[in-house]
Amino acid sequence: MKVISVVGYKKSGKTALVSALVRQLSGFGTVGTVKHMGEQRLNPGETDTGRHFDAGADMVIGITGTELVSFARDSDLEDALDMLCDRGLDFAVVEGFKGSNLPKIAIGDVEGVSNVVIRIPENIDPHEELTASLVGISLVQPDHYTLEALIKKARKNPDIRKAGAIGTFSGIVRELAGEEKTSRLEFEKYEPEASKVLDRIRDEIKQKEGILEVLIHHKAGVIEAGEDIVYIVIASAHRTELFPALSEAIERVKAEAPIWKKEFTEKEEFWVHDREHA
């Protein structure tokens, strides 16, 4: 799923631009949106769903004849993006969240934002030529994946009719290793080489007998203890072919992909590659 954020001050034209971008992106695939709503309450206490929530429900879902809405506690932007990705959407357009690390279309002289890919004037007419340019920018953004989204992608492969098994591997940040406690890891990808290597591993494993689909996604940036690092999804005709392929895939990703890992412990921080080759 490609993700792009539109940020700017109040009344700068964010919603108009998001709406125009959604209309254009819908010609390329399915689109979801996320909007920063400030501190206002979307699920008032006088409604039935609000009463459920105030009674202590951790999640409340309301369903009408045409819509489904959900309200959950302790959720954030990452949770919202994962939810859209789990539904198999191709694009997510985010309105607001200036402090995020998402790639951003900045409107006007908004300050204190990072990862700005383009800056445009306030209240600019979102004409077709402009939105077409912004669509092009959106299409080249890195993919956001969840394990569920990769499984759904594997199931869309026409060869899935021959499959008897789908297996997955999820690598997570290990917090405790003996006496040492790791708070987070940071991964740097050497692109475009990292993507080329992952594609080669995928293609070569897919050539093996009985292997029908191989999908690999490795995250970059800072990942906290307990969070996911890498996903591998393999569909095979039989389980006997599945497990060796999963094992080979993760070992080759670790050995061959130019992805470097920095570890942050309670006592120190270091690049793991440097320490292993010291």
Side-chain angles (χ1 to χ4, degrees), residues 16-17 20-21 23-25 28 124-136:
L17 186 63
L21 188 54
R23 282 192 291 271
Q24 290 284 340
L25 284 172
F28 293 84
I124 189 173
D125 174 26
H127 52 79
E128 187 172 339
E129 183 178 346
L130 172 62
T131 52
S133 174
L134 298 180
V135 164

Coordinates of all heavy atoms in Angstrom, one line a residue, residues 16-17 20-21 23-25 28 124-136:
A16 N -9.7 19.8 0.4 CA -10.0 19.9 -1.0 C -8.9 19.1 -1.8 O -9.2 18.4 -2.8 CB -10.0 21.3 -1.4
L17 N -7.6 19.2 -1.4 CA -6.6 18.6 -2.1 C -6.7 17.1 -1.9 O -6.5 16.3 -2.8 CB -5.2 19.1 -1.6 CG -4.0 18.5 -2.4 CD1 -4.1 19.0 -3.9 CD2 -2.7 19.0 -1.8
A20 N -9.4 15.7 -4.1 CA -9.0 15.6 -5.5 C -8.0 14.5 -5.8 O -8.1 13.7 -6.8 CB -8.4 16.9 -6.0
L21 N -7.1 14.3 -4.8 CA -6.1 13.2 -4.9 C -6.8 11.8 -4.9 O -6.4 10.9 -5.6 CB -5.1 13.4 -3.8 CG -3.8 12.5 -3.9 CD1 -3.1 12.6 -5.2 CD2 -2.9 12.8 -2.8
R23 N -9.8 11.1 -5.8 CA -10.5 10.9 -7.1 C -9.6 10.4 -8.1 O -9.9 9.5 -8.9 CB -11.2 12.1 -7.5 CG -12.5 12.4 -6.8 CD -13.3 13.5 -7.4 NE -12.7 14.8 -7.3 CZ -12.9 15.7 -6.3 NH1 -13.7 15.3 -5.3 NH2 -12.2 16.8 -6.2
Q24 N -8.4 11.0 -8.2 CA -7.4 10.6 -9.2 C -6.8 9.2 -8.9 O -6.7 8.3 -9.8 CB -6.3 11.6 -9.3 CG -6.7 12.9 -9.9 CD -6.8 12.8 -11.4 OE1 -6.3 11.9 -12.0 NE2 -7.6 13.8 -12.0
L25 N -6.5 8.9 -7.6 CA -5.9 7.7 -7.3 C -6.8 6.5 -7.4 O -6.4 5.4 -7.7 CB -5.4 7.7 -5.8 CG -4.1 8.5 -5.6 CD1 -3.8 8.6 -4.1 CD2 -2.9 7.8 -6.2
F28 N -6.4 4.2 -10.2 CA -5.2 3.3 -10.2 C -5.4 2.1 -9.2 O -4.6 1.2 -9.2 CB -4.0 4.0 -9.8 CG -3.5 5.0 -10.8 CD1 -4.1 6.3 -10.8 CD2 -2.6 4.7 -11.8 CE1 -3.7 7.2 -11.8 CE2 -2.2 5.6 -12.7 CZ -2.7 6.9 -12.7
I124 N -4.5 26.3 -3.3 CA -4.3 26.2 -4.7 C -5.4 25.4 -5.3 O -6.0 24.5 -4.7 CB -2.9 25.6 -5.0 CG1 -2.6 25.7 -6.5 CG2 -2.9 24.2 -4.5 CD1 -1.2 25.2 -6.8
D125 N -5.8 25.8 -6.5 CA -6.8 25.0 -7.3 C -6.3 23.6 -7.6 O -5.3 23.5 -8.3 CB -7.2 25.7 -8.5 CG -8.2 24.9 -9.4 OD1 -8.9 24.1 -8.8 OD2 -8.2 25.1 -10.6
P126 N -6.9 22.5 -7.0 CA -6.4 21.2 -7.3 C -6.9 20.7 -8.7 O -7.6 19.8 -8.8 CB -7.1 20.4 -6.2 CG -8.4 21.1 -5.9 CD -8.1 22.5 -6.1
H127 N -6.3 21.4 -9.7 CA -6.7 21.1 -11.1 C -6.1 19.8 -11.5 O -5.3 19.2 -10.8 CB -6.3 22.2 -12.0 CG -4.8 22.6 -11.9 ND1 -3.8 21.8 -12.4 CD2 -4.2 23.6 -11.2 CE1 -2.6 22.4 -12.2 NE2 -2.9 23.5 -11.4
E128 N -6.5 19.3 -12.7 CA -6.2 17.9 -13.1 C -4.7 17.8 -13.3 O -4.1 16.7 -12.9 CB -6.9 17.6 -14.4 CG -6.7 16.2 -14.8 CD -7.6 15.8 -16.0 OE1 -8.6 16.5 -16.3 OE2 -7.3 14.8 -16.7
E129 N -4.0 18.8 -13.8 CA -2.6 18.7 -14.0 C -1.8 18.6 -12.7 O -0.9 17.8 -12.6 CB -2.1 19.9 -14.8 CG -0.6 19.9 -15.1 CD -0.1 21.1 -15.9 OE1 -1.0 21.8 -16.5 OE2 1.1 21.3 -16.0
L130 N -2.2 19.4 -11.7 CA -1.6 19.3 -10.4 C -1.8 17.9 -9.7 O -0.9 17.3 -9.3 CB -2.1 20.4 -9.5 CG -1.6 20.3 -8.0 CD1 -0.1 20.4 -7.9 CD2 -2.3 21.4 -7.1
T131 N -3.1 17.5 -9.7 CA -3.3 16.2 -9.0 C -2.7 15.0 -9.8 O -2.3 14.1 -9.2 CB -4.9 16.0 -8.9 OG1 -5.5 16.1 -10.2 CG2 -5.5 16.9 -7.9
A132 N -2.6 15.1 -11.1 CA -1.9 14.1 -11.9 C -0.4 14.0 -11.4 O 0.2 12.9 -11.3 CB -2.0 14.3 -13.3
S133 N 0.2 15.2 -11.2 CA 1.6 15.2 -10.7 C 1.7 14.6 -9.3 O 2.6 13.9 -9.0 CB 2.1 16.7 -10.7 OG 3.4 16.8 -10.1
L134 N 0.7 14.9 -8.5 CA 0.8 14.4 -7.1 C 0.5 12.9 -7.1 O 1.0 12.1 -6.2 CB -0.3 15.1 -6.2 CG -0.1 16.6 -6.0 CD1 -1.2 17.2 -5.2 CD2 1.3 16.9 -5.5
V135 N -0.3 12.4 -8.0 CA -0.5 10.9 -8.2 C 0.8 10.3 -8.5 O 1.2 9.2 -8.0 CB -1.6 10.6 -9.3 CG1 -1.5 9.2 -9.7 CG2 -3.0 10.9 -8.7
G136 N 1.6 10.9 -9.5 CA 2.9 10.4 -9.8 C 3.8 10.3 -8.6 O 4.5 9.3 -8.5

